[in-house]
């Protein structure tokens, strides 16, 4: 018999079915009756074992059952009497009258109950047994919602002529503001790759390649100190478009975000998304990320999106006193500041074409129109104090690409985790990531980082030292 998903059983009253899943809860009622809530990837259904009707070997197996045993059950879908309907279960109008059961695998007693929310279970236990944590309803819901949200974004983008293109993970260290993770090269001893902090340069090069509309659900790695809302790696819906102005990208992203949120049943507080300048946001909210929702809207999970624009391009680095970029060195200044930008004049006044998408007090995305003329990007680096040699070694390849007919372009990166935290109302990143790190930077389930053996180190020409 073919396997039936639990979710589909409600339409199959009177039919024989084969179900597969885990024993979620077991209730023994006297000697004759055993109820097993069976859980699969689509839901939970009550399976009834009425021993007087079952063969002795089946009864013996029913007596062995424990939570999280993996089962195959064959039985008949039965409509429940009106008083027996369980409104807490999506399948509460039916139950399965079991005929046989096979135990496909046993289970040790899990370190925490799977049929309960694990929010209050200690982090180290949850992450050591992450595969069990992920079985719980809340975690299943979050990761399934994440998949649907990304799918909805994809759906929208494919409808708008976007091409999904992967960019390399082993790449060059870039000046994007954070510390890089590095990977040693075996073939070129003493040299290192860097893992991308974002696909920024590659997506711009794809605009130089004539793709015009690119996207990718990209992994990005930054070796930053960890916080509840920031991990070493994150995923972003990464987008770049040619022949656009700031408002074109913002409109497109707004449509995509609205499509995804509304498709998943969420309410957006204000459409079109309100637009506010950085300066006004600082005066009004004291921050460039703000929450416009009332207490009631917060309780209802309303999404309050807003755009923030007109950020200063540069600020003084606290340590060196030199000018540095506030958001993205590859941005264009706003057109009215282009002359000053090229001349390195009135630097503190130059505004960038950056736009940040804010939602419920957090930054859910950010992007800009880029410098596509070599002299503009070069001017940015000159303002930041790079000499000609340093400019050449860090962005020479971009300047060269721009000399071969680079189109005007711009884009955005939308943090998948941050957006999911907003959708789920969770305050910690680990609640929307399958296998997150611990607060001290150790992976879930598997013990990394770990030491390399001497032979591997030798092959890589690496000597380690004690700190
Ligand atoms: N590269 C930027 C980031 O990762 C996003 C963008 O400007 O497209 O934040």
């Amino acid at each position: 018999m073919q396997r039936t998903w639990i979710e589909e059983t409600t339409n199959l009253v009177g039919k024989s079915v084969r179900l597969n899943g885990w024993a979620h809860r077991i209730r023994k009622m006297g000697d004759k009756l055993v109820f097993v809530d069976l859980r699969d990837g689509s839901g939970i259904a009550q399976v009834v074992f009425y021993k007087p009707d079952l063969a002795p070997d089946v009864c013996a197996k029913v007596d062995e059952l424990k939570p999280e045993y993996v089962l195959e059950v064959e039985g008949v879908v039965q409509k429940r009497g009106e008083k027996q309907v369980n409104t807490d279960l999506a399948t509460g109008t039916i139950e399965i009258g079991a005929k046989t059961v096979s135990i496909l695998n046993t289970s040790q007693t899990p370190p925490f109950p799977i049929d309960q929310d694990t929010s209050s279970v200690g982090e180290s236990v949850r992450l050591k047994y992450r595969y069990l944590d992920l079985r719980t309803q809340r975690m299943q819901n979050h990761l399934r919602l994440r998949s649907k949200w990304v799918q909805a974004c994809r759906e929208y983008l494919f409808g708008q002529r976007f091409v999904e293109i992967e960019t390399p993970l082993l790449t060059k260290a870039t000046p994007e503001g954070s510390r890089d993770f590095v990977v040693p090269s075996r073939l070129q001893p003493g040299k290192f790759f860097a893992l991308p902090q974002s696909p920024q340069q590659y997506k711009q090069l794809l605009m130089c390649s004539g793709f015009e509309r690119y996207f990718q659900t990209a992994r990005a790695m930054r070796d930053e100190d960890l916080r509840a809302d920031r991990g070493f790696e994150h995923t972003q819906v990464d987008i770049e478009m040619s022949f656009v102005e700031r408002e074109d990208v913002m409109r497109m992203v707004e449509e995509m975000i609205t499509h995804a949120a509304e498709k998943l049943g969420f309410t957006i507080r204000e459409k079109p998304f309100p637009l506010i300048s950085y300066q006004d946001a600082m005066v009004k909210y004291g921050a460039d990320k703000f929450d416009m929702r009332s207490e009631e809207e917060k309780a209802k999970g309303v999404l309050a999106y807003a755009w923030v624009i007109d950020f200063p391009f540069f600020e003084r680095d606290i340590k060196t006193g030199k000018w540095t970029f506030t958001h993205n060195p590859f941005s264009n200044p706003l057109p009215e500041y282009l002359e000053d930008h090229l001349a390195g004049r009135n630097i503190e006044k130059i505004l960038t074409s950056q736009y940040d998408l804010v939602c419920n007090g957090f930054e859910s995305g950010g992007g800009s129109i880029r410098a596509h003329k070599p002299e503009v990007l070069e001017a940015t680096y000159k303002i930041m104090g790079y000499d000609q040699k340093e400019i050449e070694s860090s962005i020479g390849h971009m300047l060269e690409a721009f000399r071969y007919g680079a189109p005007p372009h711009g884009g955005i990166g939308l943090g998948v985790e941050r957006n999911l935290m907003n959708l789920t109302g969770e305050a910690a990143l680990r609640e929307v990531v399958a296998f997150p790190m611990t607060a001290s930077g150790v992976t879930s389930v598997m013990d990394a980082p770990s030491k390399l053996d001497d032979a591997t180190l030798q092959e890589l020409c690496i000597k380690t030292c004690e700190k």
Side-chain angles (χ1 to χ4, degrees):
M1 200 190 300
Q2 257 208 337
R3 180 252 179 116
T4 299
W5 288 96
I6 282 174
E7 189 179 52
E8 290 160 7
T9 51
T10 48
N11 299 322
L12 297 172
V13 173
K15 297 271 183 340
S16 290
V17 291
R18 187 197 116 199
L19 304 179
N20 282 117
W22 288 261
H24 187 65
R25 267 186 211 142
I26 301 168
R27 295 183 299 285
K28 299 194 171 159
M29 316 287 276
D31 294 340
K32 291 185 183 154
L33 203 55
V34 177
F35 290 107
V36 175
D37 285 347
L38 187 72
R39 182 187 75 239
D40 75 6
S42 72
I44 293 175
Q46 175 166 284
V47 178
V48 189
F49 292 94
Y50 183 61
K51 288 188 183 165
D53 287 352
L54 301 174
D57 64 314
V58 177
C59 292
K61 275 188 258 176
V62 172
D63 288 338
E64 278 176 42
L65 299 184
K66 288 193 185 141
E68 298 309 305
Y69 272 34
V70 188
L71 307 181
E72 178 157 300
V73 173
E74 288 187 21
V76 176
V77 183
Q78 297 161 352
K79 200 166 157 50
R80 293 202 208 188
E82 230 166 80
K83 287 202 184 118
Q84 272 78 46
V85 168
N86 179 352
T87 47
D88 292 339
L89 274 188
T91 60
T93 55
I94 58 102
E95 61 189 9
I96 313 298
K99 297 267 183 266
T100 69
V101 60
S102 310
I103 296 173
L104 304 183
N105 210 347
T106 58
S107 172
Q108 298 184 34
T109 304
F112 42 80
I114 305 299
D115 62 351
Q116 285 165 35
D117 188 305
T118 49
S119 307
S120 56
V121 176
E123 185 201 47
S124 59
V125 182
R126 283 184 67 197
L127 295 192
K128 177 168 185 218
Y129 297 99
R130 186 58 160 180
Y131 45 92
L132 297 180
D133 190 24
L134 293 179
R135 284 187 195 170
T136 62
Q137 199 60 60
R138 185 175 59 104
M139 297 308 292
Q140 286 271 320
N141 290 348
H142 287 1
L143 289 187
R144 287 171 193 278
L145 184 70
R146 178 177 172 140
S147 165
K148 285 183 188 153
W149 187 80
V150 172
Q151 164 73 2
C153 291
R154 269 212 169 83
E155 215 167 66
Y156 174 83
L157 293 168
F158 278 130
Q160 303 286 325
R161 292 177 178 267
F162 279 83
V163 184
E164 185 169 14
I165 303 177
E166 287 156 84
T167 52
L169 283 181
L170 294 174
T171 178
K172 189 181 152 126
T174 65
E176 280 186 86
S178 304
R179 214 176 284 111
D180 289 309
F181 276 104
V182 294
V183 179
S185 160
R186 179 179 58 85
L187 294 178
Q188 298 192 39
K191 292 195 175 168
F192 294 83
F193 298 101
L195 300 178
Q197 293 186 26
S198 91
Q200 180 71 38
Q201 298 190 51
Y202 285 111
K203 68 175 172 176
Q204 290 194 247
L205 293 171
L206 287 168
M207 295 303 103
C208 299
S209 313
F211 281 100
E212 295 202 28
R213 290 187 167 199
Y214 139 97
F215 89 96
Q216 168 183 204
T217 48
R219 313 303 302 279
M221 268 69 69
R222 294 177 192 185
D223 188 359
E224 292 179 290
D225 292 336
L226 297 168
R227 294 192 311 230
D229 64 345
R230 195 167 69 190
F232 286 147
E233 23 181 332
H234 74 276
T235 306
Q236 56 191 49
V237 174
D238 194 50
I239 292 171
E240 199 74 9
M241 307 164 77
S242 292
F243 304 110
V244 284
E245 293 180 3
R246 176 170 78 170
E247 288 66 28
D248 300 314
V249 184
M250 289 163 66
R251 190 180 327 113
M252 199 284 306
V253 171
E254 190 162 328
E255 275 176 24
M256 181 187 81
I257 288 285
T258 303
H259 167 80
E262 293 183 348
K263 183 166 185 183
L264 301 179
F266 289 88
T267 304
I268 293 175
R269 186 173 183 269
E270 198 177 332
K271 295 187 291 186
F273 301 169
L275 183 69
I276 186 164
S277 72
Y278 168 74
Q279 190 124 48
D280 288 350
M282 294 308 283
V283 171
K284 195 165 169 191
Y285 302 106
D288 57 1
K289 305 167 188 63
F290 42 84
D291 195 343
M292 301 171 295
R293 295 170 303 165
S294 63
E295 288 305 322
E296 199 189 338
E297 286 168 330
K298 280 186 192 170
K300 284 188 184 151
V302 167
L303 299 167
Y305 292 102
W307 288 107
V308 185
I309 55 170
D310 298 347
F311 293 91
F313 200 132
F314 300 100
E315 66 189 0
R316 291 275 187 197
D317 185 296
I318 320 166
K319 278 193 221 126
T320 63
K322 286 185 183 172
W323 289 113
T324 182
F325 56 90
T326 61
H327 285 77
N328 190 332
F330 296 100
S331 303
N332 238 1
L334 287 177
E336 55 272 38
Y337 299 94
L338 187 58
E339 231 173 84
D340 277 350
H341 189 93
L342 289 169
R345 226 176 20 222
N346 300 324
I347 294 167
E348 68 288 353
K349 296 214 176 87
I350 299 173
L351 298 184
T352 166
S353 58
Q354 176 82 20
Y355 28 81
D356 275 2
L357 182 62
V358 170
C359 180
N360 298 358
F362 298 98
E363 184 191 317
S364 80
S368 63
I369 298 300
R370 323 298 183 187
H372 70 286
K373 302 238 181 182
E375 60 273 21
V376 180
L377 184 59
E378 206 171 345
T380 305
Y381 278 76
K382 277 191 189 144
I383 291 173
M384 298 194 296
Y386 284 59
D387 65 25
Q388 212 52 45
K389 217 173 125 204
E390 290 164 332
I391 290 178
E392 200 45 47
S393 79
S394 59
I395 50 153
H397 54 283
M398 296 301 284
L399 298 175
E400 176 150 46
F402 291 170
R403 288 186 199 109
Y404 292 92
H409 60 279
I412 195 165
L414 298 145
V416 173
E417 289 82 9
R418 169 45 66 199
N419 277 278
L420 262 294
M421 285 162 75
N422 281 339
L423 296 179
T424 57
E426 294 282 5
L429 190 89
R430 65 163 178 267
E431 307 301 343
V432 297
V433 176
F435 295 100
M437 301 253 175
T438 63
S440 54
V442 175
T443 53
S444 353
V445 190
M446 283 173 249
D447 209 6
S450 56
K451 293 205 163 156
L452 293 176
D453 59 42
D454 288 343
T456 311
L457 287 174
Q458 200 149 27
E459 196 172 35
L460 294 168
C461 294
I462 287 182
K463 272 201 191 116
T464 59
C465 61
E466 297 299 325
K467 204 170 182 181

